[in-house]
Amino acid sequence: MNALKFAVLPALLALSVCQTTNAGTATASFQASLVIQESCTIVSQRNSPQVLCRHNTPYLIHHQQATPSGSGLTVITF
């Protein structure tokens, strides 16, 4: 009887593996939202500011011409 058990055991294991691999998978849909928090550091230097963003966010630097008093305005748009 023990020899019969050992002979049948591999066949039963093979059947159980086939059943689990052919069981299929279920799919589901869901909605999600994601918020990426960005931080940028702006270092103001005399001629040109430096912008360093953690996630490499694109930006545009626009320099307005200096006034006669020597002051100018730099606008950084993200």
Side-chain angles (χ1 to χ4, degrees):
M1 188 81 164
N2 282 340
L4 181 63
K5 286 182 185 177
F6 288 120
V8 173
L9 185 62
L12 291 175
L13 288 174
L15 283 175
S16 67
V17 168
C18 289
Q19 287 178 352
T20 58
T21 57
N22 293 330
T25 58
T27 60
S29 298
F30 65 94
Q31 287 185 328
S33 62
L34 176 66
V35 176
I36 299 175
Q37 295 184 359
E38 175 67 287
S39 65
C40 296
T41 304
I42 301 170
V43 179
S44 180
Q45 295 180 348
R46 192 160 189 88
N47 293 333
S48 64
Q50 291 182 347
V51 180
L52 304 170
C53 295
R54 183 177 5 167
H55 298 291
N56 295 324
T57 299
Y59 59 89
L60 177 65
I61 299 176
H62 177 70
H63 301 283
Q64 291 186 354
Q65 292 184 2
T67 61
S69 65
S71 64
L73 179 66
T74 301
V75 178
I76 300 173
T77 308
F78 296 94

